[in-house]
Amino acid sequence: MAVIVTIEFPGGTQEQYEETTRVLQATDWFPPKGFLAHAAGPDGTGGWRVVDFWDSEEDFIAFIESARPIFERGGVRSVLPTVQPAVNVILR
């Protein structure tokens, strides 16, 4: 079942996000297995929010394991994501 993953990065910046995304997209394993869609932007409180859609929570966890060194180099702190079942995901 598809899942919605929401991650809040208190104090995260657009610059951190853009650099981390650039490095992730340059890997030979991007896009990762199970990845469906991604959106990100300011959270309205001075931080950054990411909302992803994945085929499964297991696919998301596998991605995090692969991406952890990139996040750490980019200064992205560990945060606990919120994972919810997705009843439907529509892509344009």
Side-chain angles (χ1 to χ4, degrees):
M1 169 182 273
V3 294
I4 303 164
V5 179
T6 305
I7 306 171
E8 304 286 342
F9 296 99
T13 67
Q14 183 171 347
E15 292 75 22
Q16 281 178 307
Y17 168 77
E18 289 175 347
E19 177 62 15
T20 301
T21 299
R22 184 190 66 73
V23 174
L24 283 170
Q25 290 177 326
T27 65
D28 59 357
W29 48 263
F30 195 90
K33 176 184 175 290
F35 172 78
L36 296 174
H38 171 87
D43 68 4
T45 66
W48 205 254
R49 177 179 296 126
V50 170
V51 179
D52 282 352
F53 296 87
W54 291 83
D55 281 333
S56 70
E57 186 172 359
E58 293 76 20
D59 287 336
F60 170 70
I61 291 169
F63 161 72
I64 290 297
E65 290 304 315
S66 297
R68 180 171 281 124
I70 294 169
F71 292 142
E72 289 173 354
R73 279 195 305 271
V76 177
R77 297 188 304 263
S78 295
V79 294
L80 186 61
T82 301
V83 180
Q84 305 165 253
V87 174
N88 196 9
V89 178
I90 299 174
L91 302 173
R92 182 167 84 152

